Amino acid sequence: MLDFPQEGVKELSRRFVFCYVALGVALLFILLRLFVLQIVRGDFFWILSSEHTVKEIRIPAARGLILDRKKRVLVENRPSFDLAVIPQYVRDRKLLKESLMKLTGISGDLFDFRWRWVKELPPFYPLRIWTDLPYDLAAKLKVMRVTANGLPDSYDLRGVEIIPRPLRRHPSGFLAALTFGYLSEVSPETFKKLQSEFPNRYWLGDLVGSSGLEGFWESSLKGEDGVWQKLVNAIGQEISGEEVQGLLKDIPPRQGADLVLSIDKELQETAEFAFQQKSGALVLLDIRNGEVLALVSRPSFDPAELTTTISSDRWKSLVADPAKIFLHRALQPYPPGSTYKIVTAIAALEEKVIRPDEKLYCGGGMRFGGRFFRCWREGGHGSVSLHEALVQSCDTFFYELGLRLGADRLAKYAHYLGLGEKTGIDLWSEKEGLIPTEEWKKKAFGEPWYAGENLSIAVGQGSVLVTPLQSARMMAIVANGGRSLRPHLAQSVQRDEGEIQAPFFEGEQDVSVRIPVSEENLSLVRAALADVVATPQGTAYGSRSSLVAMGGKTGTAQVISEEAKKRVGGTGRFEDHAWFVAFAPVSNPQIAVAVLVEHGGFGAQAAAPIAKVVVEKFMQSASEGAVRE
């Protein structure tokens, strides 16, 4: 017989007692829980078990506002309603389709087009059929959905939901529409990409930024959708009651972050109005930090037309518009014409192929390689220095500089000045342009570079292509002493709780890169550009201002050759493009501007007057304290 120690027996007894107590407490908890579920809340759970389900509706969040530098609203939101269908509660798709066609006038093709996504979505997910439903129709459907379901010979609206959704509103109409961009329904391809980057944040049917700032800053502007739960019966009718509502989720949507821009609304309006009915682009930059103060592209589209459902035929007609209303011209490449002589002048001084006081003779043109390259002034300019050649825009002088420099050395300084490459602005549609080199031609065409081509590119013709944005940046670099800055539109991203986030990496917009060009040579070029506007010999003398001294350069870029122009008449779409690039004030530069007028003819007549209006508006605003550092 085993003999256990007395102490061991006592310890074992204590453990058994603890186990009994623990089991008793657990059993008591289970009994209490069963009492609550079956007696206290029995009716509620009986409802849930009797073909009743919880229907969850996503409530789209409002996007963040787009504001100008003074926090004035440029793009906001307006209330609207979506007509949606939840496939889970649809009992007769054909009858539902016929009911909606009779009640709303919606086409059967559109219904079928939307219904095709049923297989791609969970059965409980609202399938949007119509965006921006008229308010009276939304109210009518809401009432009929409650009263008509289940009645004999009534419209079948089972599964129909009227869901509020904020849509974009542009208070200033066409103002900077291409820069702000537009929203469109997310495509299946984009949806898959967004789902991988932002799980459960996007669903098919959502509106996303497709262009402009709306697209570039999509992740910041998009809000967080809310959730609205309802208890419904087998045919989708809502079951109400305090007992039910206490367990249902109701999470309000959270608006997206506001985007504060560097654009000044008044300057933008002035610039847009100055174009009148002309086509083209304008860029106004703060040369001290790269902020874009105004960005114009004309013609443009009506943003109100793209905030709601648009037919495929109408969309096709907009895309096919010969005016190319969706083309952001400030970001597209054009031949720069004589504005490129700034590059040629700086390259010639830096490479010491000409002295500042050296003079060359212009007799109206230059013969080279069996061809006569004419100067714009038929009788010529006589003997001129580099300063005089810039002021009077003498082509012959720069033909000679082109021969002395060659394509590769010209390209080196063009790139120093930010031409032929993307600036990095916060817009997707920016193009690089083209600065030709000997190697480029060999790769592109399999041909050698010919010396005669140097004459054309030296005056901004031939293969040279630059954007208005690049041209404004070039003038900013010349004016600020050789500091290359990244142009940007966004100043900050601001959320409701006051959080402010800089749009780029911290301090990036303040970092400047000094280009390898001497201040002495930049100063010589600036002095010549000042006389382009200030002296009677200057090509922009007609656009001088009594408010501010500008330095600038006119340009006239051929669309087709002179011979071809003579054959077709040289008017309309074959007329030359007009350019003007400038900085101001001359004594203490603050801004740079580039203006392009498509098929405008002479830069002095079509582009320079527009720049004058905008620069004067900036100076007036600055004197009133409207534009601050």
Side-chain angles (χ1 to χ4, degrees):
M1 184 173 179
L2 295 175
D3 185 18
F4 289 99
Q6 191 68 24
E7 294 79 3
V9 174
K10 291 180 180 180
E11 177 64 25
L12 189 60
S13 298
R14 283 195 296 269
R15 292 184 180 181
F16 274 118
V17 171
F18 177 79
C19 290
Y20 290 146
V21 172
L23 287 172
V25 171
L27 183 59
L28 180 62
F29 176 80
I30 292 172
L31 291 173
L32 287 172
R33 185 61 178 161
L34 288 173
F35 177 78
V36 171
L37 295 177
Q38 296 185 10
I39 306 301
V40 179
R41 309 208 63 193
D43 292 341
F44 172 74
F45 288 105
W46 177 83
I47 292 174
L48 289 182
S49 64
S50 304
E51 294 189 341
H52 293 75
T53 58
V54 174
K55 179 165 63 175
E56 186 170 286
I57 305 293
R58 269 197 331 136
I59 307 301
R63 292 173 72 83
L65 306 179
I66 298 180
L67 311 171
D68 87 334
R69 64 189 300 114
K70 300 178 194 172
K71 307 294 180 65
R72 291 173 293 198
V73 175
L74 299 172
V75 182
E76 59 185 0
N77 302 297
R78 64 174 176 85
S80 75
F81 296 95
D82 284 348
L83 168 60
V85 173
I86 301 179
Q88 180 178 353
Y89 303 108
V90 175
R91 294 295 179 265
D92 189 330
R93 184 183 72 86
K94 183 178 179 182
L95 183 56
L96 172 63
K97 173 182 171 180
E98 292 174 354
S99 299
L100 291 177
M101 289 173 62
K102 292 175 184 176
L103 289 170
T104 68
I106 190 173
S107 70
D109 290 340
L110 178 57
F111 182 92
D112 293 336
F113 178 77
R114 296 292 187 184
W115 192 264
R116 80 192 194 283
W117 297 119
V118 166
K119 295 181 180 179
E120 303 288 335
L121 297 168
F124 57 83
Y125 183 77
L127 185 69
R128 289 187 176 89
I129 302 297
W130 189 347
T131 297
D132 202 16
L133 196 65
Y135 181 79
D136 56 343
L137 187 53
K140 177 183 177 182
L141 288 174
K142 252 194 161 180
V143 172
M144 292 194 68
R145 184 177 58 83
V146 174
T147 60
N149 284 341
L151 297 178
D153 301 323
S154 67
Y155 292 110
D156 187 350
L157 298 179
R158 286 174 290 187
V160 170
E161 287 289 342
I162 306 301
I163 303 175
R165 173 160 62 164
L167 292 179
R168 279 313 212 191
R169 178 176 176 271
H170 296 72
S172 300
F174 286 76
L175 187 75
L178 282 162
T179 298
F180 300 146
Y182 59 89
L183 308 181
S184 63
E185 191 170 311
V186 62
S187 67
E189 297 76 18
T190 304
F191 170 67
K192 291 177 182 178
K193 179 183 176 182
L194 290 172
Q195 274 289 64
S196 63
E197 295 179 4
F198 309 100
N200 300 320
R201 195 178 179 192
Y202 290 88
W203 291 86
L204 284 172
D206 281 358
L207 297 176
V208 297
S210 293
S211 68
L213 290 165
E214 294 277 21
F216 193 94
W217 293 103
E218 165 66 25
S219 61
S220 296
L221 289 168
K222 180 174 174 56
E224 297 176 12
D225 293 342
V227 175
W228 178 23
Q229 287 185 337
K230 297 189 295 183
L231 186 66
V232 296
N233 60 23
I235 61 172
Q237 289 179 319
E238 184 177 352
I239 305 298
S240 60
E242 294 182 5
E243 184 76 18
V244 171
Q245 296 302 324
L247 287 183
L248 299 179
K249 267 195 312 185
D250 187 5
I251 303 174
R254 183 189 180 204
Q255 183 168 322
D258 294 339
L259 186 63
V260 181
L261 304 183
S262 57
I263 282 180
D264 183 283
K265 183 181 178 183
E266 292 178 354
L267 286 173
Q268 182 73 29
E269 289 173 339
T270 299
E272 298 260 8
F273 182 77
F275 267 82
Q276 300 293 331
Q277 301 302 314
K278 302 181 181 73
S279 297
L282 177 145
V283 182
L284 181 66
L285 287 181
D286 188 323
I287 70 170
R288 298 162 292 185
N289 52 28
E291 290 182 349
V292 180
L293 303 176
L295 188 63
V296 176
S297 177
R298 296 180 64 89
S300 184
F301 61 90
D302 181 1
E305 192 171 5
L306 300 183
T307 59
T308 184
T309 303
I310 184 171
S311 69
S312 59
D313 290 341
R314 177 55 180 159
W315 173 251
K316 290 176 182 177
S317 69
L318 291 174
V319 173
D321 192 318
K324 298 181 179 178
I325 59 175
F326 291 113
L327 187 69
H328 202 311
R329 287 162 167 80
L331 310 179
Q332 303 302 310
Y334 296 84
S338 291
T339 63
Y340 199 73
K341 292 172 182 176
I342 295 171
V343 177
T344 307
I346 290 173
L349 290 170
E350 286 290 308
E351 295 294 322
K352 302 186 186 320
V353 300
I354 196 167
R355 300 185 311 276
D357 59 347
E358 184 179 348
K359 292 194 174 186
L360 300 176
Y361 181 75
C362 169
M366 171 187 288
R367 185 166 296 280
F368 185 85
R371 175 187 167 190
F372 186 73
F373 292 81
R374 68 181 186 87
C375 182
W376 71 267
R377 180 177 288 178
E378 188 173 348
H381 293 88
S383 184
V384 291
S385 65
L386 178 63
H387 181 100
E388 294 166 328
L390 274 172
V391 170
Q392 301 176 50
S393 198
C394 175
D395 293 321
T396 307
F397 188 97
F398 287 95
Y399 291 151
E400 177 61 32
L401 294 188
L403 283 175
R404 296 183 184 185
L405 285 164
D408 291 348
R409 286 199 287 184
L410 271 171
K412 179 173 69 171
Y413 288 93
H415 285 295
Y416 286 161
L417 293 167
L419 303 179
E421 56 193 43
K422 292 183 179 181
T423 67
I425 192 172
D426 39 340
L427 291 172
W428 281 336
S429 53
E430 183 181 16
K431 303 301 182 185
E432 290 185 350
L434 175 63
I435 302 299
T437 62
E438 295 185 15
E439 183 181 1
W440 163 80
K441 187 181 179 186
K442 187 174 182 181
K443 286 182 177 180
F445 301 102
E447 297 178 357
W449 185 267
Y450 299 108
E453 295 177 85
N454 294 321
L455 280 71
S456 295
I457 64 171
V459 295
Q461 295 292 164
S463 305
V464 181
L465 295 171
V466 304
T467 71
L469 178 61
Q470 291 171 3
S471 297
R473 185 190 191 188
M474 173 186 72
M475 290 305 292
I477 294 171
V478 171
N480 69 22
R483 291 183 297 113
S484 179
L485 294 167
R486 175 181 180 175
H488 59 277
L489 286 156
Q491 283 188 332
S492 65
V493 175
Q494 300 187 0
R495 303 192 180 276
D496 292 339
E497 57 269 29
E499 174 191 354
I500 299 178
Q501 177 185 346
F504 303 116
F505 294 108
E506 185 177 357
E508 182 178 336
Q509 62 265 46
D510 299 322
V511 175
S512 61
V513 178
R514 185 70 169 78
I515 68 170
V517 174
S518 71
E519 171 56 27
E520 179 184 0
N521 287 333
L522 289 174
S523 180
L524 289 173
V525 171
R526 285 197 299 269
L529 297 179
D531 282 349
V532 168
V533 182
T535 62
Q537 295 78 24
T539 54
Y541 182 67
S543 293
R544 65 195 182 283
S545 170
S546 60
L547 297 180
V548 58
M550 283 191 299
K553 183 72 191 76
T554 57
T556 302
Q558 288 183 349
V559 176
I560 57 175
S561 68
E562 289 299 319
E563 293 75 13
K565 193 185 295 184
K566 290 176 182 178
R567 290 196 298 269
V568 299
T571 58
R573 62 192 180 94
F574 299 115
E575 183 61 83
D576 298 338
H577 295 321
W579 279 94
F580 185 65
V581 295
F583 65 90
V586 168
S587 58
N588 180 30
Q590 299 176 47
I591 54 171
V593 62
V595 179
L596 165 75
V597 178
E598 287 186 340
H599 313 296
F602 293 110
Q605 296 174 355
I610 295 175
K612 174 187 175 182
V613 170
V614 175
V615 171
E616 287 185 337
K617 178 61 178 178
F618 171 85
M619 297 308 301
Q620 289 171 348
S621 299
S623 65
E624 296 167 1
V627 179
R628 295 183 175 87
E629 296 184 24

Short mmCIF file of all heavy atoms in Angstrom, two decimals, residues 420-452:
data_model
loop_
_atom_site.label_atom_id
_atom_site.label_comp_id
_atom_site.label_asym_id
_atom_site.label_seq_id
_atom_site.Cartn_x
_atom_site.Cartn_y
_atom_site.Cartn_z
N GLY A 420 14.74 69.84 -73.84
CA GLY A 420 14.85 68.48 -74.35
C GLY A 420 14.73 67.40 -73.30
O GLY A 420 15.07 66.24 -73.56
N GLU A 421 14.25 67.73 -72.11
CA GLU A 421 14.08 66.73 -71.05
C GLU A 421 12.92 67.15 -70.15
O GLU A 421 12.59 68.34 -70.05
CB GLU A 421 15.35 66.59 -70.22
CG GLU A 421 15.82 67.91 -69.63
CD GLU A 421 17.23 67.82 -69.08
OE1 GLU A 421 18.09 67.21 -69.75
OE2 GLU A 421 17.46 68.37 -67.98
N LYS A 422 12.29 66.18 -69.52
CA LYS A 422 11.15 66.50 -68.66
C LYS A 422 11.60 67.32 -67.46
O LYS A 422 12.67 67.08 -66.90
CB LYS A 422 10.47 65.21 -68.19
CG LYS A 422 9.77 64.44 -69.31
CD LYS A 422 9.06 63.22 -68.78
CE LYS A 422 8.34 62.48 -69.90
NZ LYS A 422 7.61 61.28 -69.42
N THR A 423 10.77 68.25 -67.07
CA THR A 423 11.11 69.12 -65.94
C THR A 423 10.81 68.46 -64.60
O THR A 423 11.33 68.86 -63.57
CB THR A 423 10.31 70.43 -66.00
OG1 THR A 423 8.92 70.15 -65.80
CG2 THR A 423 10.50 71.12 -67.34
N GLY A 424 9.92 67.44 -64.61
CA GLY A 424 9.52 66.80 -63.36
C GLY A 424 8.30 67.42 -62.72
O GLY A 424 7.99 67.14 -61.56
N ILE A 425 7.58 68.26 -63.45
CA ILE A 425 6.37 68.88 -62.90
C ILE A 425 5.36 67.79 -62.53
O ILE A 425 5.37 66.69 -63.11
CB ILE A 425 5.76 69.86 -63.92
CG1 ILE A 425 4.68 70.74 -63.27
CG2 ILE A 425 5.22 69.12 -65.13
CD1 ILE A 425 4.18 71.85 -64.15
N ASP A 426 4.48 68.07 -61.58
CA ASP A 426 3.53 67.07 -61.10
C ASP A 426 2.31 66.96 -62.01
O ASP A 426 1.17 67.18 -61.61
CB ASP A 426 3.12 67.35 -59.65
CG ASP A 426 2.93 68.82 -59.34
OD1 ASP A 426 3.45 69.66 -60.07
OD2 ASP A 426 2.28 69.14 -58.33
N LEU A 427 2.58 66.58 -63.26
CA LEU A 427 1.55 66.27 -64.25
C LEU A 427 2.07 65.11 -65.09
O LEU A 427 3.27 65.04 -65.37
CB LEU A 427 1.24 67.46 -65.15
CG LEU A 427 0.51 68.65 -64.50
CD1 LEU A 427 0.46 69.83 -65.47
CD2 LEU A 427 -0.90 68.27 -64.06
N TRP A 428 1.17 64.23 -65.51
CA TRP A 428 1.59 63.02 -66.24
C TRP A 428 1.95 63.27 -67.70
O TRP A 428 2.76 62.55 -68.26
CB TRP A 428 0.47 61.99 -66.20
CG TRP A 428 0.37 61.25 -64.91
CD1 TRP A 428 1.36 61.06 -63.99
CD2 TRP A 428 -0.79 60.60 -64.39
NE1 TRP A 428 0.89 60.33 -62.93
CE2 TRP A 428 -0.43 60.04 -63.14
CE3 TRP A 428 -2.10 60.45 -64.84
CZ2 TRP A 428 -1.33 59.32 -62.37
CZ3 TRP A 428 -2.98 59.74 -64.07
CH2 TRP A 428 -2.60 59.17 -62.84
N SER A 429 1.33 64.24 -68.34
CA SER A 429 1.37 64.31 -69.80
C SER A 429 2.56 65.09 -70.36
O SER A 429 2.58 65.43 -71.54
CB SER A 429 0.07 64.94 -70.33
OG SER A 429 -0.19 66.18 -69.69
N GLU A 430 3.55 65.37 -69.53
CA GLU A 430 4.71 66.15 -70.00
C GLU A 430 5.54 65.35 -71.00
O GLU A 430 5.84 64.17 -70.78
CB GLU A 430 5.58 66.56 -68.81
CG GLU A 430 6.76 67.43 -69.23
CD GLU A 430 7.65 67.82 -68.05
OE1 GLU A 430 7.53 67.20 -66.98
OE2 GLU A 430 8.46 68.75 -68.22
N LYS A 431 5.93 66.00 -72.08
CA LYS A 431 6.78 65.39 -73.10
C LYS A 431 8.22 65.90 -72.98
O LYS A 431 8.46 66.98 -72.44
CB LYS A 431 6.24 65.69 -74.50
CG LYS A 431 4.81 65.24 -74.73
CD LYS A 431 4.64 63.75 -74.53
CE LYS A 431 3.21 63.31 -74.80
NZ LYS A 431 2.97 61.88 -74.51
N GLU A 432 9.15 65.14 -73.54
CA GLU A 432 10.57 65.49 -73.43
C GLU A 432 11.00 66.52 -74.45
O GLU A 432 11.89 67.33 -74.18
CB GLU A 432 11.43 64.24 -73.60
CG GLU A 432 11.34 63.27 -72.44
CD GLU A 432 12.30 62.11 -72.60
OE1 GLU A 432 12.89 61.98 -73.69
OE2 GLU A 432 12.47 61.35 -71.64
N GLY A 433 10.41 66.50 -75.63
CA GLY A 433 10.94 67.33 -76.71
C GLY A 433 12.13 66.66 -77.34
O GLY A 433 12.39 65.46 -77.15
N LEU A 434 12.93 67.44 -78.07
CA LEU A 434 14.08 66.85 -78.77
C LEU A 434 15.17 67.89 -78.99
O LEU A 434 14.91 68.97 -79.52
CB LEU A 434 13.64 66.29 -80.13
CG LEU A 434 14.75 65.75 -81.04
CD1 LEU A 434 15.44 64.55 -80.38
CD2 LEU A 434 14.18 65.36 -82.40
N ILE A 435 16.36 67.57 -78.54
CA ILE A 435 17.56 68.36 -78.84
C ILE A 435 18.48 67.45 -79.65
O ILE A 435 19.07 66.50 -79.12
CB ILE A 435 18.27 68.83 -77.55
CG1 ILE A 435 17.31 69.67 -76.70
CG2 ILE A 435 19.51 69.64 -77.91
CD1 ILE A 435 16.79 70.92 -77.36
N PRO A 436 18.61 67.70 -80.95
CA PRO A 436 19.34 66.76 -81.82
C PRO A 436 20.85 66.79 -81.60
O PRO A 436 21.43 67.81 -81.26
CB PRO A 436 18.99 67.26 -83.23
CG PRO A 436 18.71 68.73 -83.04
CD PRO A 436 18.07 68.85 -81.69
N THR A 437 21.44 65.63 -81.77
CA THR A 437 22.89 65.47 -81.76
C THR A 437 23.28 64.62 -82.97
O THR A 437 22.42 64.01 -83.62
CB THR A 437 23.37 64.77 -80.48
OG1 THR A 437 22.82 63.45 -80.44
CG2 THR A 437 22.97 65.55 -79.24
N GLU A 438 24.57 64.56 -83.23
CA GLU A 438 25.03 63.73 -84.35
C GLU A 438 24.70 62.25 -84.12
O GLU A 438 24.28 61.55 -85.04
CB GLU A 438 26.53 63.94 -84.56
CG GLU A 438 26.89 65.36 -84.99
CD GLU A 438 28.37 65.51 -85.29
OE1 GLU A 438 29.07 64.47 -85.45
OE2 GLU A 438 28.84 66.65 -85.40
N GLU A 439 24.90 61.80 -82.90
CA GLU A 439 24.60 60.40 -82.58
C GLU A 439 23.11 60.10 -82.70
O GLU A 439 22.71 59.04 -83.18
CB GLU A 439 25.09 60.07 -81.17
CG GLU A 439 24.88 58.61 -80.77
CD GLU A 439 25.34 58.32 -79.36
OE1 GLU A 439 25.81 59.26 -78.69
OE2 GLU A 439 25.22 57.16 -78.94
N TRP A 440 22.28 61.06 -82.25
CA TRP A 440 20.83 60.87 -82.36
C TRP A 440 20.43 60.65 -83.81
O TRP A 440 19.63 59.75 -84.11
CB TRP A 440 20.10 62.10 -81.80
CG TRP A 440 18.66 62.16 -82.24
CD1 TRP A 440 17.61 61.48 -81.71
CD2 TRP A 440 18.13 62.89 -83.35
NE1 TRP A 440 16.46 61.75 -82.41
CE2 TRP A 440 16.75 62.61 -83.42
CE3 TRP A 440 18.70 63.76 -84.30
CZ2 TRP A 440 15.93 63.18 -84.40
CZ3 TRP A 440 17.87 64.32 -85.26
CH2 TRP A 440 16.51 64.03 -85.30
N LYS A 441 20.93 61.46 -84.73
CA LYS A 441 20.53 61.33 -86.13
C LYS A 441 20.99 59.99 -86.71
O LYS A 441 20.26 59.35 -87.47
CB LYS A 441 21.09 62.49 -86.96
CG LYS A 441 20.55 62.45 -88.39
CD LYS A 441 21.08 63.55 -89.26
CE LYS A 441 20.50 63.41 -90.67
NZ LYS A 441 21.09 64.38 -91.62
N LYS A 442 22.17 59.58 -86.32
CA LYS A 442 22.68 58.31 -86.83
C LYS A 442 21.80 57.16 -86.38
O LYS A 442 21.49 56.25 -87.15
CB LYS A 442 24.12 58.11 -86.36
CG LYS A 442 24.80 56.90 -86.99
CD LYS A 442 26.26 56.84 -86.59
CE LYS A 442 26.95 55.65 -87.26
NZ LYS A 442 28.38 55.56 -86.87
N LYS A 443 21.37 57.19 -85.11
CA LYS A 443 20.52 56.12 -84.59
C LYS A 443 19.11 56.20 -85.17
O LYS A 443 18.50 55.17 -85.47
CB LYS A 443 20.43 56.21 -83.06
CG LYS A 443 21.69 55.75 -82.35
CD LYS A 443 21.49 55.82 -80.84
CE LYS A 443 22.72 55.31 -80.10
NZ LYS A 443 22.54 55.37 -78.61
N ALA A 444 18.59 57.41 -85.31
CA ALA A 444 17.20 57.58 -85.75
C ALA A 444 17.03 57.35 -87.25
O ALA A 444 16.02 56.78 -87.68
CB ALA A 444 16.71 58.98 -85.39
N PHE A 445 18.00 57.79 -88.06
CA PHE A 445 17.84 57.74 -89.51
C PHE A 445 18.93 56.96 -90.22
O PHE A 445 18.85 56.76 -91.43
CB PHE A 445 17.80 59.18 -90.08
CG PHE A 445 16.68 60.01 -89.52
CD1 PHE A 445 16.93 60.95 -88.53
CD2 PHE A 445 15.38 59.85 -89.95
CE1 PHE A 445 15.91 61.72 -88.01
CE2 PHE A 445 14.35 60.61 -89.44
CZ PHE A 445 14.61 61.55 -88.45
N GLY A 446 19.97 56.57 -89.49
CA GLY A 446 21.07 55.86 -90.13
C GLY A 446 21.86 56.72 -91.07
O GLY A 446 22.47 56.22 -92.03
N GLU A 447 21.85 58.04 -90.83
CA GLU A 447 22.56 58.98 -91.71
C GLU A 447 23.51 59.85 -90.89
O GLU A 447 23.27 60.08 -89.70
CB GLU A 447 21.55 59.89 -92.44
CG GLU A 447 20.60 59.17 -93.36
CD GLU A 447 19.62 60.13 -94.00
OE1 GLU A 447 19.67 61.34 -93.65
OE2 GLU A 447 18.80 59.69 -94.83
N PRO A 448 24.56 60.36 -91.51
CA PRO A 448 25.47 61.26 -90.80
C PRO A 448 24.85 62.65 -90.65
O PRO A 448 23.90 63.01 -91.34
CB PRO A 448 26.70 61.31 -91.71
CG PRO A 448 26.15 61.05 -93.09
CD PRO A 448 25.02 60.09 -92.90
N TRP A 449 25.39 63.41 -89.73
CA TRP A 449 24.96 64.79 -89.53
C TRP A 449 25.66 65.68 -90.56
O TRP A 449 26.87 65.57 -90.78
CB TRP A 449 25.33 65.24 -88.11
CG TRP A 449 24.82 66.62 -87.78
CD1 TRP A 449 25.49 67.79 -87.91
CD2 TRP A 449 23.54 66.95 -87.24
NE1 TRP A 449 24.72 68.84 -87.51
CE2 TRP A 449 23.51 68.36 -87.08
CE3 TRP A 449 22.42 66.21 -86.89
CZ2 TRP A 449 22.40 69.03 -86.59
CZ3 TRP A 449 21.32 66.88 -86.39
CH2 TRP A 449 21.32 68.28 -86.24
N TYR A 450 24.90 66.56 -91.19
CA TYR A 450 25.46 67.45 -92.20
C TYR A 450 25.66 68.84 -91.61
O TYR A 450 24.84 69.33 -90.82
CB TYR A 450 24.54 67.52 -93.42
CG TYR A 450 24.36 66.19 -94.11
CD1 TYR A 450 23.15 65.51 -94.02
CD2 TYR A 450 25.41 65.61 -94.82
CE1 TYR A 450 22.98 64.28 -94.63
CE2 TYR A 450 25.25 64.38 -95.44
CZ TYR A 450 24.05 63.71 -95.34
OH TYR A 450 23.90 62.49 -95.94
N ALA A 451 26.73 69.50 -92.03
CA ALA A 451 27.07 70.81 -91.47
C ALA A 451 25.95 71.83 -91.68
O ALA A 451 25.72 72.69 -90.83
CB ALA A 451 28.37 71.32 -92.10
N GLY A 452 25.25 71.72 -92.79
CA GLY A 452 24.17 72.67 -93.07
C GLY A 452 23.04 72.61 -92.04
O GLY A 452 22.33 73.59 -91.84
#
